[in-house]
Amino acid sequence: IFSLGENFAWEISDSSSLTQSVTSEIGDELTVTRFEIGLESNIIDRIATKITFQARNTSKVPLGNKKTDTQTSVSLVYTF
């Protein structure tokens, strides 16, 4: 298996940041690629919200299945 990946982080302001990553695992018979992007923004003091989008693509899947799965999430984050 051969793996490739990258991570990117950008502090948009003092209270918000953007993160993004892509990874690929390449094999003889199968390739799996994952993508994630997230935006985190402080609301008050130690409370923030994070919105994330994730996609996962698999090169070979059983007949009738989609190659790409996606997930979108909204989280409330508390920092200790």
Side-chain angles (χ1 to χ4, degrees):
I1 294 179
F2 181 72
S3 295
L4 294 172
E6 66 83 21
N7 290 311
F8 174 76
W10 176 34
E11 191 171 320
I12 299 170
S13 68
D14 290 340
S15 62
S16 61
S17 62
L18 179 79
T19 56
Q20 183 255 313
S21 67
V22 175
T23 58
S24 284
E25 297 172 353
I26 304 162
D28 291 336
E29 298 181 16
L30 183 70
T31 299
V32 177
T33 303
R34 293 176 182 88
F35 170 79
E36 180 176 320
I37 188 164
L39 177 65
E40 186 168 336
S41 185
N42 286 348
I43 299 172
I44 34 177
D45 295 327
R46 297 177 178 215
I47 299 175
T49 187
K50 184 172 185 179
I51 301 168
T52 305
F53 174 79
Q54 298 172 332
R56 178 182 172 187
N57 180 275
T58 305
S59 62
K60 289 185 180 179
V61 296
L63 190 61
N65 290 351
K66 294 182 179 180
K67 290 186 175 185
T68 303
D69 297 318
T70 61
Q71 178 180 349
T72 305
S73 61
V74 178
S75 305
L76 193 59
V77 181
Y78 181 78
T79 306
F80 292 94

